[in-house]
């Protein structure tokens, strides 16, 4: 599961932030003189929606009532579905959501299907795993990595960016 996938400790000290204190997703530009800048905003907006929907699904161990399938396809959707199955089987849910810091590292709008790569620093330190029945926090390994690099691949299908692949790395950011 993405919440516990990495086994090394995270030496970076960070301040915690409440979910309501986080900034909202970038708003896609309606028109821009720079199509690449507009595409990056749309891409980052779709990526933020992907994480928002993923957090909602994990909070109830189910994709029902979410739009996760709108923003995730392929490997990204498969990993989320696997995590959700594990949560449900374990009788667990999550509370809160990760903090992300995505950077668009490549963007090719000239391809038949536009392609983009994102490198993200995912911080799961405020994403709590709870027992679904008692809502008490589940003890996780103290040496688990709570901030890690994730490499993301996305494509624009029509007017919508979709997250196709998410590859968490076992290294801190």
């Amino acid at each position: 599961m993405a919440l516990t996938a990495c086994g090394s400790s995270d030496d970076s000290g960070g301040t915690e932030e409440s979910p309501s204190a986080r900034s909202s997703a970038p708003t896609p530009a309606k028109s821009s003189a720079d199509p690449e800048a507009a595409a990056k905003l749309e891409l980052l907006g779709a990526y933020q929606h992907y994480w928002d929907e993923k957090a909602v699904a994990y909070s109830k161990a189910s994709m029902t009532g979410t739009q996760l399938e709108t923003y995730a396809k392929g490997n990204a959707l498969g990993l989320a579905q696997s995590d959700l199955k594990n949560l449900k089987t374990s009788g667990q849910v999550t509370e809160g959501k990760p903090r992300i810091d995505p950077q668009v590292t490549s963007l090719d709008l000239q391809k038949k299907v536009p392609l983009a790569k994102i490198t993200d620093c995912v911080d799961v330190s405020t994403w709590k795993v709870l027992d679904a029945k008692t809502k008490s926090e589940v003890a996780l390994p103290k040496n688990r990595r709570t901030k890690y690099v994730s490499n993301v691949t996305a494509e624009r299908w029509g007017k919508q960016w979709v997250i196709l692949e998410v590859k968490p790395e076992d290294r801190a950011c």
Side-chain angles (χ1 to χ4, degrees):
M1 186 170 90
L3 295 173
T4 60
C6 299
S8 301
S9 64
D10 176 16
D11 295 329
S12 63
T15 59
E16 295 208 6
E17 173 182 322
S18 71
S20 61
R22 289 188 207 114
S23 63
S24 61
T27 306
K30 292 186 181 190
S31 65
S32 173
D34 182 357
E36 189 168 302
K40 284 181 179 181
L41 279 175
E42 291 167 1
L43 169 62
L44 292 172
Y47 184 66
Q48 180 66 56
H49 286 302
Y50 158 77
W51 272 107
D52 290 345
E53 294 300 315
K54 190 172 171 177
V56 169
Y58 284 34
S59 74
K60 56 187 179 178
S62 171
M63 285 187 1
T64 303
T66 72
Q67 295 182 356
L68 186 56
E69 289 179 293
T70 300
Y71 299 101
K73 306 289 184 196
N75 161 275
L77 181 58
L79 285 175
Q81 289 171 325
S82 177
D83 284 351
L84 289 166
K85 182 179 179 183
N86 289 338
L87 283 168
K88 190 169 195 130
T89 300
S90 301
Q92 298 172 342
V93 294
T94 63
E95 179 179 82
K97 66 181 180 180
R99 290 182 289 212
I100 60 172
D101 186 20
Q103 306 295 319
V104 178
T105 53
S106 73
L107 181 66
D108 187 347
L109 299 176
Q110 303 310 310
K111 291 183 75 115
K112 184 175 180 177
V113 177
L115 176 69
K117 303 278 185 179
I118 295 172
T119 299
D120 192 6
C121 178
V122 180
D123 179 353
V124 297
S125 63
T126 59
W127 206 11
K128 306 299 179 195
V129 179
L130 308 175
D131 180 281
K133 290 181 183 173
T134 67
K135 300 299 183 203
S136 60
E137 193 169 341
V138 173
L140 297 173
K142 294 199 184 308
N143 66 340
R144 76 183 180 108
R145 189 177 307 282
T146 58
K147 284 180 79 173
Y148 60 89
V149 174
S150 185
N151 295 300
V152 179
T153 302
E155 289 181 343
R156 184 166 28 192
W157 294 2
K159 295 183 180 189
Q160 169 71 43
W161 283 99
V162 293
I163 308 307
L164 293 179
E165 186 172 43
V166 177
K167 290 184 178 177
E169 292 186 18
D170 188 16
R171 69 179 174 103
C173 51

